[in-house]
Amino acid sequence: MAKRPRNGPYICGIDAALDVVSGKWKGLILWELDAHGVRRFAELRRGLPGVSEKMLTQHLREMEADGLVHRKVHAEVPPRVEYSLTDHGRTLNQALGPLGVWGTERMRREGSRTVEVAAPSAG
């Protein structure tokens, strides 16, 4: 069953924006790529504890189709694939900034715990 294209009709701008960032991992993928620039699939997966390979693949494909993420395949054996934000993806990440501030304040207010993310290995 094919997924409907994300092109409306929408009730308002928030509806259109949430259509593109819907899903638990998309905002975190934007954050990870913004924080680190270019990431390989395994690096993204390590940076997002709890995401399955299937879900990360699905979200990256949707985000690439929406023009948020650039996928670069290097002609090597084995193939090396790198992901980065497009200019469009960077503007969405900037727009989500105030939402992140709101969420940080909510975590502080409610005493929420955070997930520890392993530091990337050297090399």
Side-chain angles (χ1 to χ4, degrees):
M1 181 174 172
K3 190 172 182 179
R4 70 172 177 77
R6 283 185 288 280
N7 59 4
Y10 297 113
I11 296 169
C12 63
I14 290 174
D15 186 19
L18 290 177
D19 193 27
V20 175
V21 294
S22 63
K24 177 178 180 176
W25 301 103
K26 288 184 181 178
L28 296 172
I29 292 168
L30 287 169
W31 172 79
E32 180 75 10
L33 290 175
D34 185 61
H36 298 285
V38 176
R39 295 301 250 177
R40 294 177 69 178
F41 185 88
E43 293 171 323
L44 277 171
R45 186 137 185 243
R46 278 192 301 275
L48 304 171
V51 70
S52 69
E53 185 172 327
K54 177 183 176 185
M55 190 55 63
L56 182 56
T57 299
Q58 178 183 325
H59 281 334
L60 286 168
R61 285 180 182 159
E62 290 173 4
M63 293 171 78
E64 184 180 11
D66 288 332
L68 304 174
V69 170
H70 174 72
R71 180 178 185 263
K72 182 175 183 178
V73 180
H74 296 272
E76 300 174 358
V77 176
R80 179 169 48 109
V81 180
E82 296 176 331
Y83 296 91
S84 59
L85 289 180
T86 63
D87 289 340
H88 191 54
R90 273 190 281 289
T91 62
L92 176 56
N93 200 47
Q94 290 168 355
L96 291 173
L99 184 60
V101 171
W102 183 90
T104 300
E105 175 57 26
R106 179 177 183 269
M107 289 186 322
R108 186 201 58 76
R109 186 179 63 249
E110 296 185 7
S112 300
R113 296 182 315 139
T114 58
V115 174
E116 291 295 323
V117 178
S121 60

